[in-house]
Amino acid sequence: MAVTVKDVASAAGVSTATVSRVLNDNPGVAAATRTRVLRAIQDTGYRMNTIARSLKTSRTRTIGFLVPEIVNEFFMNIARGVEDALRAAGYSLIICSANEAVSGEKKQLELLAEKCVDGIIIIPSTGQGEHYRRLTELDIPAVLVDRRVDGFVADTVLVENREGSYAAVEYLIKRGTTRFGFIGGDPALTTARERYQGFLAALHDHSLEADEEIIKFGDFHVESGYTLMGELMESPRPPEHIFIANYFMHIGATKYVIEHLGDLPQAVQFASFDDMELSALLGFSSVTVAQPMAEMGATAARLLLSRINGGGPGGAQTLRLKTKLLTRS
Amino acid sequence: MAVTVKDVASAAGVSTATVSRVLNDNPGVAAATRTRVLRAIQDTGYRMNTIARSLKTSRTRTIGFLVPEIVNEFFMNIARGVEDALRAAGYSLIICSANEAVSGEKKQLELLAEKCVDGIIIIPSTGQGEHYRRLTELDIPAVLVDRRVDGFVADTVLVENREGSYAAVEYLIKRGTTRFGFIGGDPALTTARERYQGFLAALHDHSLEADEEIIKFGDFHVESGYTLMGELMESPRPPEHIFIANYFMHIGATKYVIEHLGDLPQAVQFASFDDMELSALLGFSSVTVAQPMAEMGATAARLLLSRINGGGPGGAQTLRLKTKLLTRS
DNA sequence: CTGTTAGCGCTTTCAG
DNA sequence: CTGAAAGCGCTAACAG
């Protein structure tokens, strides 16, 4: 078997209590004893059994991260921020995919609870959050990222979706665009709604009409972007400028354009939310709204950790991070 | 505190041992007793403390997955396969990023060992694997995916890299191409080497010369693809057809072309390894070699689980999955 | 078929 | 400043 505190203790000629104290940087251990124990730890090649510690302390130093989908550049950029911040604090991450369904979320949450994670960070899969209340029951702190949900309040990290799309649309308006198509996500998601609101507000503030004929909603996926772009292009009066509410729909729309280049009624130009590595490669793109993805993750991690360690204000707090407008020259 | 087996036991009027037996689907429990216990579990709202169980059984039903980088579509597609397969078997996944460095791998491996994971799946960050031997010391089963390393043998899941690039190059040769540029990854990685070998073999088998002037090696990243493409285009006699050894370099090369469209010496066409969602959107692409990413992950997971459960052959085994040639019409 | 009991490896009072 | 001892919640012999 592996070497335990007991072995270290006898090797150092002290009690297990003392070893434990050294292990936990507990003050009140004579310097001489401490070095002796440290040596014994070296010599025996001791490695902490965190399971045993967790059983005793009921803290696992592990955080669960529930995402709608693993294969998703946006979510994984956030994950990276979470991981970096957590690791810096000595925590590890269990990443779980909910497969974009409440049922999946429930299952994974139950699993994470069984694993006794100290806290959970969630990118909600849907707009529904009633089932997250189970976490409150189980007394597991949670932080939401990217989206807000109905039926559950918790610390939340969002970006300025409204302001972001407003800025992008306004940018184009100032350069002369007067008519915009819109390809949006599922309005059940707060992000989709907020980005739509920003779009509308920009039009309104510049005395432009929103033309419902060319305002479409889908679901934030590539296929949906493709389909809606098709609908737009086949509408009675296809728009030339189109605001697209996220990266994946942007890809889908671009795909449509590329595949129909020949028989497109006219040239198109996109403004879109999200700026990824590849955004710059997508043709027909003029402005993108970059989200601080890693920072979102890191912020969520910090929020959660402070919650776990008893810090943080009484009520739930929401942090809104700024987006950044990127224009292609 | 939470409800424990003890509570369930007294609620059902049995001993904790019996509760444990029911919990573990142990045979040899009277049907009546079993239902009584089950009811008690329901009534009390009991939830297993897996930490305690793990301490006792020294199995955590958790697997570590060490990847070079989290924000990487290829790796995450593999991760998805791993996660699905593991979940189906009742295991969870801790995903760790090594930040593409041996030092990072060491750190994370140590961490995973402390977490007492039952096994580890690794996508090696480099060609070096000496440090993986620590896992053998710690008696933690490991499976490598995608790449092989020096200094460590273990069950490994790879794809037919050689055959894959061979097929792509041959396809173009048959359509008349006689001169190929090559943009490859770091030859320290087995994947990079094998893909290069396949490239060479295809040329050789069709009596074509490899022109070293237009054969470049980099590191599988976007920037590298960009740089090497630049070198190729500025070489004395730029190639018209270029084989690119992975997705990210493909992106980089495409980026270069798009940015230099005006002053490019001639038209170019790419053949490349990997087929992602976006590959179809990258212009100048003619053939791609698709890897069965999810299947790679699932296979690795299965291999590991059978190893954990004492199955599998004596020696380490290597599985090679097939790639698929996709042509754009 | 069921209960008793002894730990798994660690932390943490409570004495000394 | 250090040690003895009591568990954390669970499982697995071993009896009965």
Side-chain angles (χ1 to χ4, degrees), chain B residues 86-108:
Chain B
L86 286 185
R87 178 172 30 208
Y91 281 72
S92 339
L93 234 210
I94 298 188
I95 301 182
C96 297
S97 163
N99 285 318
E100 301 194 302
V102 168
S103 62
E105 290 196 319
K106 278 186 185 161
K107 215 172 296 172
Q108 297 285 32

Side-chain angles (χ1 to χ4, degrees), chain A residues 14-15 17-18 21 29-30 33 56:
Chain A
V14 297
S15 74
T18 302
R21 288 193 190 96
V29 177
T33 318
K56 190 68 197 171

Side-chain angles (χ1 to χ4, degrees), chain A residues 32-267:
Chain A
T33 318
R34 157 163 276 118
T35 48
R36 199 141 43 87
V37 171
L38 255 17
R39 270 216 45 157
I41 289 176
Q42 286 292 323
D43 296 348
T44 55
Y46 169 78
R47 300 183 50 268
M48 163 82 74
N49 179 331
T50 57
I51 298 288
R53 162 187 277 181
S54 293
L55 180 56
K56 190 68 197 171
T57 61
S58 51
R59 305 181 87 225
T60 52
R61 293 196 153 267
T62 301
I63 300 295
F65 187 34
L66 183 56
V67 296
E69 170 63 69
I70 287 184
V71 182
N72 182 303
E73 214 177 321
F74 175 63
F75 298 149
M76 284 307 112
N77 267 286
I78 295 179
R80 193 183 203 296
V82 171
E83 220 229 358
D84 288 351
L86 285 185
R87 180 176 26 211
Y91 281 72
S92 341
L93 233 210
I94 299 188
I95 300 182
C96 297
S97 162
N99 285 317
E100 301 196 301
V102 168
S103 62
E105 290 196 319
K106 278 186 184 161
K107 214 171 297 172
Q108 297 286 32
L109 248 22
E110 215 58 42
L111 226 134
L112 288 172
E114 271 193 357
K115 291 270 175 206
C116 304
V117 293
D118 293 343
I120 298 184
I121 297 176
I122 305 177
I123 299 181
S125 284
T126 72
Q128 294 305 309
E130 275 86 12
H131 54 296
Y132 295 158
R133 292 189 186 159
R134 178 98 175 97
L135 295 174
T136 316
E137 268 175 52
L138 296 172
D139 210 37
I140 301 177
V143 171
L144 305 185
V145 192
D146 185 44
R147 304 164 179 173
R148 210 192 273 290
V149 291
D150 286 338
F152 183 74
V153 289
D155 290 341
T156 308
V157 178
L158 306 170
V159 299
E160 297 185 335
N161 289 300
R162 238 181 131 284
E163 293 77 357
S165 36
Y166 187 102
V169 173
E170 183 173 53
Y171 173 85
L172 288 185
I173 292 177
K174 288 196 171 155
R175 296 179 48 127
T177 308
T178 55
R179 189 158 173 275
F180 286 89
F182 182 86
I183 291 183
D186 181 353
L189 298 177
T190 54
T191 40
R193 287 203 301 273
E194 290 172 357
R195 289 171 200 175
Y196 179 53
Q197 287 160 9
F199 167 81
L200 286 185
L203 294 190
H204 178 264
D205 290 356
H206 294 82
S207 316
L208 294 179
E209 291 281 316
D211 181 351
E212 298 209 352
E213 286 258 303
I214 50 174
I215 288 181
K216 306 280 182 182
F217 293 93
D219 69 9
F220 273 160
H221 290 291
V222 174
E223 298 70 33
S224 181
Y226 184 93
T227 310
L228 297 184
M229 185 63 193
E231 291 181 17
L232 245 36
M233 289 302 102
E234 285 167 11
S235 66
R237 218 181 120 217
E240 189 168 343
H241 289 86
I242 300 159
F243 181 85
I244 305 179
N246 92 334
Y247 176 57
F248 300 103
M249 298 190 98
H250 184 190
I251 291 173
T254 304
K255 196 167 183 173
Y256 182 90
V257 174
I258 288 179
E259 290 181 9
H260 297 76
L261 256 189
D263 37 60
L264 231 48
Q266 61 185 87

